[in-house]
PDB file of all heavy atoms in Angstrom:
ATOM      1  N   TYR A 112     -16.483 256.448 167.683  1.00  0.00           N
ATOM      2  CA  TYR A 112     -17.527 257.190 168.391  1.00  0.00           C
ATOM      3  C   TYR A 112     -17.369 258.676 168.143  1.00  0.00           C
ATOM      4  O   TYR A 112     -16.404 259.297 168.603  1.00  0.00           O
ATOM      5  CB  TYR A 112     -17.511 256.905 169.904  1.00  0.00           C
ATOM      6  CG  TYR A 112     -18.810 257.303 170.562  1.00  0.00           C
ATOM      7  CD1 TYR A 112     -19.826 256.376 170.730  1.00  0.00           C
ATOM      8  CD2 TYR A 112     -19.051 258.621 170.947  1.00  0.00           C
ATOM      9  CE1 TYR A 112     -21.047 256.745 171.289  1.00  0.00           C
ATOM     10  CE2 TYR A 112     -20.263 259.000 171.496  1.00  0.00           C
ATOM     11  CZ  TYR A 112     -21.259 258.060 171.662  1.00  0.00           C
ATOM     12  OH  TYR A 112     -22.462 258.428 172.192  1.00  0.00           O
ATOM     13  N   GLY A 113     -18.320 259.247 167.403  1.00  0.00           N
ATOM     14  CA  GLY A 113     -18.331 260.680 167.165  1.00  0.00           C
ATOM     15  C   GLY A 113     -18.695 261.428 168.432  1.00  0.00           C
ATOM     16  O   GLY A 113     -19.538 260.988 169.217  1.00  0.00           O
ATOM     17  N   ASN A 114     -18.046 262.581 168.624  1.00  0.00           N
ATOM     18  CA  ASN A 114     -18.263 263.444 169.780  1.00  0.00           C
ATOM     19  C   ASN A 114     -17.515 262.906 171.001  1.00  0.00           C
ATOM     20  O   ASN A 114     -16.589 262.112 170.874  1.00  0.00           O
ATOM     21  CB  ASN A 114     -19.758 263.657 170.058  1.00  0.00           C
ATOM     22  CG  ASN A 114     -20.058 265.099 170.430  1.00  0.00           C
ATOM     23  OD1 ASN A 114     -19.429 265.672 171.300  1.00  0.00           O
ATOM     24  ND2 ASN A 114     -21.034 265.686 169.750  1.00  0.00           N
ATOM     25  N   ARG A 115     -17.922 263.308 172.202  1.00  0.00           N
ATOM     26  CA  ARG A 115     -17.126 263.103 173.408  1.00  0.00           C
ATOM     27  C   ARG A 115     -17.648 261.962 174.284  1.00  0.00           C
ATOM     28  O   ARG A 115     -18.851 261.733 174.370  1.00  0.00           O
ATOM     29  CB  ARG A 115     -17.068 264.403 174.222  1.00  0.00           C
ATOM     30  CG  ARG A 115     -16.348 265.519 173.489  1.00  0.00           C
ATOM     31  CD  ARG A 115     -16.473 266.861 174.205  1.00  0.00           C
ATOM     32  NE  ARG A 115     -15.685 267.875 173.512  1.00  0.00           N
ATOM     33  CZ  ARG A 115     -16.142 268.609 172.477  1.00  0.00           C
ATOM     34  NH1 ARG A 115     -17.383 268.439 172.041  1.00  0.00           N
ATOM     35  NH2 ARG A 115     -15.356 269.494 171.895  1.00  0.00           N
ATOM     36  N   ILE A 116     -16.694 261.305 174.937  1.00  0.00           N
ATOM     37  CA  ILE A 116     -16.988 260.326 175.982  1.00  0.00           C
ATOM     38  C   ILE A 116     -16.242 260.770 177.239  1.00  0.00           C
ATOM     39  O   ILE A 116     -15.027 260.983 177.205  1.00  0.00           O
ATOM     40  CB  ILE A 116     -16.571 258.895 175.577  1.00  0.00           C
ATOM     41  CG1 ILE A 116     -17.417 258.422 174.385  1.00  0.00           C
ATOM     42  CG2 ILE A 116     -16.731 257.937 176.752  1.00  0.00           C
ATOM     43  CD1 ILE A 116     -17.044 257.056 173.861  1.00  0.00           C
ATOM     44  N   LYS A 117     -16.975 260.932 178.308  1.00  0.00           N
ATOM     45  CA  LYS A 117     -16.424 261.511 179.538  1.00  0.00           C
ATOM     46  C   LYS A 117     -15.231 260.713 180.064  1.00  0.00           C
ATOM     47  O   LYS A 117     -15.321 259.481 180.261  1.00  0.00           O
ATOM     48  CB  LYS A 117     -17.512 261.590 180.608  1.00  0.00           C
ATOM     49  CG  LYS A 117     -17.058 262.280 181.884  1.00  0.00           C
ATOM     50  CD  LYS A 117     -18.205 262.413 182.878  1.00  0.00           C
ATOM     51  CE  LYS A 117     -17.754 263.158 184.133  1.00  0.00           C
ATOM     52  NZ  LYS A 117     -18.862 263.330 185.102  1.00  0.00           N
ATOM     53  N   GLU A 118     -14.132 261.416 180.251  1.00  0.00           N
ATOM     54  CA  GLU A 118     -12.892 260.879 180.829  1.00  0.00           C
ATOM     55  C   GLU A 118     -12.376 259.651 180.084  1.00  0.00           C
ATOM     56  O   GLU A 118     -11.537 258.897 180.605  1.00  0.00           O
ATOM     57  CB  GLU A 118     -13.085 260.561 182.315  1.00  0.00           C
ATOM     58  CG  GLU A 118     -13.408 261.812 183.138  1.00  0.00           C
ATOM     59  CD  GLU A 118     -13.684 261.512 184.584  1.00  0.00           C
ATOM     60  OE1 GLU A 118     -13.743 260.313 184.947  1.00  0.00           O
ATOM     61  OE2 GLU A 118     -13.870 262.466 185.364  1.00  0.00           O
ATOM     62  N   GLY A 119     -12.884 259.427 178.858  1.00  0.00           N
ATOM     63  CA  GLY A 119     -12.403 258.315 178.050  1.00  0.00           C
ATOM     64  C   GLY A 119     -12.712 256.950 178.625  1.00  0.00           C
ATOM     65  O   GLY A 119     -11.963 255.984 178.393  1.00  0.00           O
ATOM     66  N   LYS A 120     -13.806 256.834 179.354  1.00  0.00           N
ATOM     67  CA  LYS A 120     -14.146 255.555 179.980  1.00  0.00           C
ATOM     68  C   LYS A 120     -15.623 255.231 179.771  1.00  0.00           C
ATOM     69  O   LYS A 120     -16.468 256.116 179.738  1.00  0.00           O
ATOM     70  CB  LYS A 120     -13.858 255.585 181.489  1.00  0.00           C
ATOM     71  CG  LYS A 120     -12.390 255.794 181.854  1.00  0.00           C
ATOM     72  CD  LYS A 120     -12.202 255.795 183.365  1.00  0.00           C
ATOM     73  CE  LYS A 120     -10.758 256.112 183.756  1.00  0.00           C
ATOM     74  NZ  LYS A 120      -9.820 255.068 183.289  1.00  0.00           N
ATOM     75  N   PHE A 121     -15.903 253.939 179.624  1.00  0.00           N
ATOM     76  CA  PHE A 121     -17.290 253.468 179.639  1.00  0.00           C
ATOM     77  C   PHE A 121     -17.300 252.015 180.073  1.00  0.00           C
ATOM     78  O   PHE A 121     -16.302 251.294 179.959  1.00  0.00           O
ATOM     79  CB  PHE A 121     -17.957 253.637 178.265  1.00  0.00           C
ATOM     80  CG  PHE A 121     -17.416 252.753 177.172  1.00  0.00           C
ATOM     81  CD1 PHE A 121     -17.975 251.513 176.899  1.00  0.00           C
ATOM     82  CD2 PHE A 121     -16.332 253.180 176.398  1.00  0.00           C
ATOM     83  CE1 PHE A 121     -17.487 250.705 175.887  1.00  0.00           C
ATOM     84  CE2 PHE A 121     -15.835 252.389 175.382  1.00  0.00           C
ATOM     85  CZ  PHE A 121     -16.403 251.142 175.128  1.00  0.00           C
ATOM     86  N   ASN A 122     -18.448 251.576 180.573  1.00  0.00           N
ATOM     87  CA  ASN A 122     -18.624 250.204 181.051  1.00  0.00           C
ATOM     88  C   ASN A 122     -19.582 249.479 180.125  1.00  0.00           C
ATOM     89  O   ASN A 122     -20.655 249.993 179.798  1.00  0.00           O
ATOM     90  CB  ASN A 122     -19.161 250.216 182.481  1.00  0.00           C
ATOM     91  CG  ASN A 122     -19.140 248.835 183.116  1.00  0.00           C
ATOM     92  OD1 ASN A 122     -19.915 247.967 182.753  1.00  0.00           O
ATOM     93  ND2 ASN A 122     -18.239 248.656 184.081  1.00  0.00           N
ATOM     94  N   LEU A 123     -19.207 248.283 179.694  1.00  0.00           N
ATOM     95  CA  LEU A 123     -20.049 247.477 178.811  1.00  0.00           C
ATOM     96  C   LEU A 123     -19.985 246.026 179.255  1.00  0.00           C
ATOM     97  O   LEU A 123     -18.888 245.447 179.351  1.00  0.00           O
ATOM     98  CB  LEU A 123     -19.576 247.616 177.357  1.00  0.00           C
ATOM     99  CG  LEU A 123     -20.364 246.868 176.286  1.00  0.00           C
ATOM    100  CD1 LEU A 123     -21.825 247.331 176.246  1.00  0.00           C
ATOM    101  CD2 LEU A 123     -19.717 247.067 174.921  1.00  0.00           C
ATOM    102  N   ASP A 124     -21.133 245.463 179.576  1.00  0.00           N
ATOM    103  CA  ASP A 124     -21.231 244.069 180.028  1.00  0.00           C
ATOM    104  C   ASP A 124     -20.315 243.801 181.225  1.00  0.00           C
ATOM    105  O   ASP A 124     -19.664 242.749 181.332  1.00  0.00           O
ATOM    106  CB  ASP A 124     -20.886 243.101 178.887  1.00  0.00           C
ATOM    107  CG  ASP A 124     -21.893 243.166 177.753  1.00  0.00           C
ATOM    108  OD1 ASP A 124     -23.050 243.544 178.005  1.00  0.00           O
ATOM    109  OD2 ASP A 124     -21.512 242.856 176.607  1.00  0.00           O
ATOM    110  N   GLY A 125     -20.241 244.785 182.114  1.00  0.00           N
ATOM    111  CA  GLY A 125     -19.466 244.604 183.329  1.00  0.00           C
ATOM    112  C   GLY A 125     -17.976 244.833 183.194  1.00  0.00           C
ATOM    113  O   GLY A 125     -17.229 244.673 184.168  1.00  0.00           O
ATOM    114  N   VAL A 126     -17.541 245.237 182.016  1.00  0.00           N
ATOM    115  CA  VAL A 126     -16.117 245.497 181.786  1.00  0.00           C
ATOM    116  C   VAL A 126     -15.925 246.986 181.537  1.00  0.00           C
ATOM    117  O   VAL A 126     -16.644 247.588 180.736  1.00  0.00           O
ATOM    118  CB  VAL A 126     -15.585 244.699 180.572  1.00  0.00           C
ATOM    119  CG1 VAL A 126     -14.118 245.034 180.313  1.00  0.00           C
ATOM    120  CG2 VAL A 126     -15.778 243.210 180.798  1.00  0.00           C
ATOM    121  N   GLU A 127     -14.949 247.590 182.221  1.00  0.00           N
ATOM    122  CA  GLU A 127     -14.651 249.001 181.983  1.00  0.00           C
ATOM    123  C   GLU A 127     -13.582 249.122 180.897  1.00  0.00           C
ATOM    124  O   GLU A 127     -12.533 248.479 180.978  1.00  0.00           O
ATOM    125  CB  GLU A 127     -14.163 249.694 183.252  1.00  0.00           C
ATOM    126  CG  GLU A 127     -13.916 251.191 183.038  1.00  0.00           C
ATOM    127  CD  GLU A 127     -13.540 251.941 184.292  1.00  0.00           C
ATOM    128  OE1 GLU A 127     -12.351 251.893 184.668  1.00  0.00           O
ATOM    129  OE2 GLU A 127     -14.441 252.573 184.895  1.00  0.00           O
ATOM    130  N   TYR A 128     -13.871 249.936 179.895  1.00  0.00           N
ATOM    131  CA  TYR A 128     -12.933 250.171 178.795  1.00  0.00           C
ATOM    132  C   TYR A 128     -12.367 251.582 178.923  1.00  0.00           C
ATOM    133  O   TYR A 128     -13.078 252.535 179.279  1.00  0.00           O
ATOM    134  CB  TYR A 128     -13.640 249.998 177.459  1.00  0.00           C
ATOM    135  CG  TYR A 128     -14.066 248.574 177.205  1.00  0.00           C
ATOM    136  CD1 TYR A 128     -15.343 248.130 177.543  1.00  0.00           C
ATOM    137  CD2 TYR A 128     -13.177 247.655 176.655  1.00  0.00           C
ATOM    138  CE1 TYR A 128     -15.729 246.815 177.338  1.00  0.00           C
ATOM    139  CE2 TYR A 128     -13.554 246.333 176.440  1.00  0.00           C
ATOM    140  CZ  TYR A 128     -14.825 245.924 176.786  1.00  0.00           C
ATOM    141  OH  TYR A 128     -15.198 244.623 176.580  1.00  0.00           O
ATOM    142  N   THR A 129     -11.076 251.687 178.633  1.00  0.00           N
ATOM    143  CA  THR A 129     -10.377 252.965 178.724  1.00  0.00           C
ATOM    144  C   THR A 129      -9.908 253.382 177.341  1.00  0.00           C
ATOM    145  O   THR A 129      -9.212 252.626 176.649  1.00  0.00           O
ATOM    146  CB  THR A 129      -9.173 252.876 179.675  1.00  0.00           C
ATOM    147  OG1 THR A 129      -9.643 252.493 180.976  1.00  0.00           O
ATOM    148  CG2 THR A 129      -8.462 254.215 179.769  1.00  0.00           C
ATOM    149  N   LEU A 130     -10.283 254.584 176.942  1.00  0.00           N
ATOM    150  CA  LEU A 130      -9.947 255.128 175.633  1.00  0.00           C
ATOM    151  C   LEU A 130      -8.931 256.258 175.784  1.00  0.00           C
ATOM    152  O   LEU A 130      -8.685 256.744 176.889  1.00  0.00           O
ATOM    153  CB  LEU A 130     -11.214 255.676 174.953  1.00  0.00           C
ATOM    154  CG  LEU A 130     -12.454 254.777 174.966  1.00  0.00           C
ATOM    155  CD1 LEU A 130     -13.659 255.539 174.418  1.00  0.00           C
ATOM    156  CD2 LEU A 130     -12.201 253.511 174.142  1.00  0.00           C
ATOM    157  N   ALA A 131      -8.371 256.688 174.662  1.00  0.00           N
ATOM    158  CA  ALA A 131      -7.448 257.817 174.688  1.00  0.00           C
ATOM    159  C   ALA A 131      -8.180 259.079 175.137  1.00  0.00           C
ATOM    160  O   ALA A 131      -9.325 259.312 174.763  1.00  0.00           O
ATOM    161  CB  ALA A 131      -6.841 258.032 173.301  1.00  0.00           C
ATOM    162  N   VAL A 132      -7.504 259.877 175.950  1.00  0.00           N
ATOM    163  CA  VAL A 132      -8.025 261.181 176.358  1.00  0.00           C
ATOM    164  C   VAL A 132      -7.338 262.223 175.481  1.00  0.00           C
ATOM    165  O   VAL A 132      -6.154 262.507 175.644  1.00  0.00           O
ATOM    166  CB  VAL A 132      -7.757 261.435 177.857  1.00  0.00           C
ATOM    167  CG1 VAL A 132      -8.130 262.857 178.231  1.00  0.00           C
ATOM    168  CG2 VAL A 132      -8.545 260.436 178.709  1.00  0.00           C
TER     169      VAL A 132
END
Side-chain angles (χ1 to χ4, degrees):
Y112 198 93
N114 221 309
R115 296 171 176 87
I116 295 177
K117 185 176 182 179
E118 297 176 354
K120 297 181 185 296
F121 68 92
N122 190 289
L123 182 60
D124 295 334
V126 177
E127 183 175 82
Y128 293 94
T129 301
L130 313 173
V132 172

